[in-house]
Amino acid sequence: MTSVLVYGAYGHTGRFVVAELRERGFDAVLSGRDAAKLPGGRPASAADPASLDRALDGVDAVINCAGPFAETALPVAGAAIRAGVPYVDVAAEIEANLDTLALTADTAVVPAMAFFGGLADLLATAAMGDWTAADEVHVAYGLSGWRPTAGTLAAGRVSRERRGGKRIRYAGGRLEYRDDALPTREWPFPEPLGSRPVFAEFSMADIVTIPRHLEVRDVVSYMTVDAAQGLAAAGERDAAETFVVDVVVRAGDDERRIVARGEDIYAVSAPLAVEAVDRILTGRTKAKGVATAGEMFDAADFLRALAPHISVSEGG
């Protein structure tokens, strides 16, 4: 049986990943920093390379679900590279994604294989189709709400610290760091959501994954204002949100649109990450070494494989 190590297996997203692996017939090997939460598992510390090497011994791949990824991505990816096995993570931290994408490896390394980062990259790549370049990619997130996990909040704090409190955007073919407030506007989501107020330049991992391999001048992310304000909420996550991810690609006067719909932004990261591992292990890839979702996989085919977790339609 093919074995996949899940680092951070007892976390919110990690539990979804473990369940998805088992449902698809993989042997899920549990790992993480807290030995007390891993009865029968393989505890390992990101600060102890030898412990990571022991944890990865004999496995076929690793999925890293343990944030903040600023602390775990490079150590766990490094252990995977030493072991010669594929590495996938669900990091939404822009800086951690940049760190991982700067690695060199003979084996597959795919960061941000999650709702934020991987999904929009696949959608934008599929929408581009036969276009070799585009002027703009717009990624609008319509969430019914957003009660973040403790891990999401911790990751956000680390990212803000790493960029000195500045916000970040991708414009004119490069990353820019700014001190001004987020602009607001209305976004025409497809029905039944309809037009909603959004924060523009609400940058997620998409501004790293998409321009990594697509020739595009501007990548702009949007978040519904109500959902963004939910990030300030404290307490336990008690409900799953529904979502619409509306991606518009523009080249000159031409425009292409693709929309993904589903429920629970954390749960859907599991089929994204597990499908990625499955495709890597079965040789269904377009690239070698370090790559993003849209760069590594046939985007349209990958999106079809995500049903029934995510429904995708072109043109809205």
Side-chain angles (χ1 to χ4, degrees), residues 1 38 89-90 129 149 196 208 214 231 241-242 249 260 279:
M1 182 183 294
L38 291 166
D89 71 33
V90 296
T149 65
R196 296 293 178 94
V208 173
L214 297 180
L231 277 173
E241 59 285 294
T242 58
V249 180
R279 286 176 178 248

Side-chain angles (χ1 to χ4, degrees), residues 69-122:
F69 291 90
E71 300 172 2
T72 69
L74 290 184
V76 180
I81 292 169
R82 291 193 298 275
V85 300
Y87 168 90
V88 169
D89 71 33
V90 296
E93 296 166 42
I94 292 170
E95 294 76 22
N97 296 146
L98 290 169
D99 290 343
T100 306
L101 290 169
L103 294 171
T104 56
D106 294 325
T107 190
V109 173
V110 187
M113 199 64 243
F115 178 78
F116 291 118
L119 178 57
D121 187 20
L122 292 165

Side-chain angles (χ1 to χ4, degrees), residues 247-288:
V247 176
V248 176
V249 180
R250 295 192 180 114
D253 295 329
D254 295 325
E255 178 179 295
R256 291 177 175 177
R257 188 179 197 179
I258 188 168
V259 179
R261 297 174 173 86
E263 181 178 315
D264 198 328
I265 65 175
Y266 295 96
V268 299
S269 291
L272 279 157
V274 174
E275 181 68 20
V277 165
D278 192 9
R279 286 176 178 248
I280 292 167
L281 293 175
T282 55
R284 293 176 290 158
T285 58
K286 301 190 304 177
K288 296 182 182 298

Side-chain angles (χ1 to χ4, degrees), residues 288-303:
K288 296 182 182 298
V290 183
T292 67
E295 189 178 9
M296 180 65 76
F297 307 110
D298 179 323
D301 187 61
F302 195 112
L303 290 168

Side-chain angles (χ1 to χ4, degrees), residues 160-235:
R160 287 191 296 274
E161 289 169 3
R162 291 189 67 180
R163 68 176 79 122
K166 296 179 183 291
R167 68 180 186 88
I168 187 172
R169 70 175 187 174
Y170 186 87
R174 63 187 181 88
L175 294 173
E176 294 181 352
Y177 295 84
R178 301 175 63 95
D179 291 310
D180 56 337
L182 288 171
T184 57
R185 58 167 289 185
E186 292 282 318
W187 183 268
F189 288 99
E191 294 298 336
L193 204 59
S195 182
R196 296 293 178 94
V198 295
F199 286 118
E201 299 177 7
F202 191 92
S203 296
M204 307 302 293
D206 318 317
I207 68 168
V208 173
T209 58
I210 291 170
R212 156 86 180 189
H213 65 105
L214 297 180
E215 186 177 337
V216 57
R217 184 188 66 233
D218 299 330
V219 179
V220 187
S221 299
Y222 307 82
M223 180 66 68
T224 45
V225 169
D226 288 347
Q229 291 173 340
L231 277 173

